[in-house]
Amino acid sequence: MPLAVTSRLLAAATLAIALSACSARYQTPVAMGGDDDDAVCQSRGYAQGSPEYAACRKDRDVQRNAAIARADRRQRDLGEYMLNNPERP
């Protein structure tokens, strides 16, 4: 290959690797707001170690897991749709 083509290919591969580093698969969904669970439960007036505090933390975990499951399901449904409806531009 000519040197110009090789350098462009190398630059494109480097850029692709650099951009892929910006993505993370398992991040907290936006629906959770990125709040600190401890701070949220304490701001609701629950003392650390109390049953209400434990229930609050558990509810936050359930909400987070449900949001992650919804995001995974939407991603899977989109992939299936794209496989079943291949439209070429």
Side-chain angles (χ1 to χ4, degrees), residues 27-52:
Q27 291 180 340
T28 302
V30 176
M32 288 301 297
D35 294 330
D36 180 28
D37 291 345
D38 183 55
V40 169
C41 292
Q42 285 186 3
S43 72
R44 292 180 182 169
Y46 305 135
Q48 249 182 345
S50 68
E52 295 86 9

Side-chain angles (χ1 to χ4, degrees), residues 1-21:
M1 282 196 270
L3 185 60
V5 174
T6 305
S7 64
R8 285 184 185 169
L9 184 62
L10 182 60
T14 303
L15 182 62
I17 291 171
L19 289 177
S20 69

Side-chain angles (χ1 to χ4, degrees), residues 75-88:
Q75 183 68 32
R76 186 181 60 246
D77 291 345
L78 176 62
E80 288 177 5
Y81 173 80
M82 291 172 67
L83 284 173
N84 294 328
N85 299 296
E87 296 178 7
R88 308 270 189 249

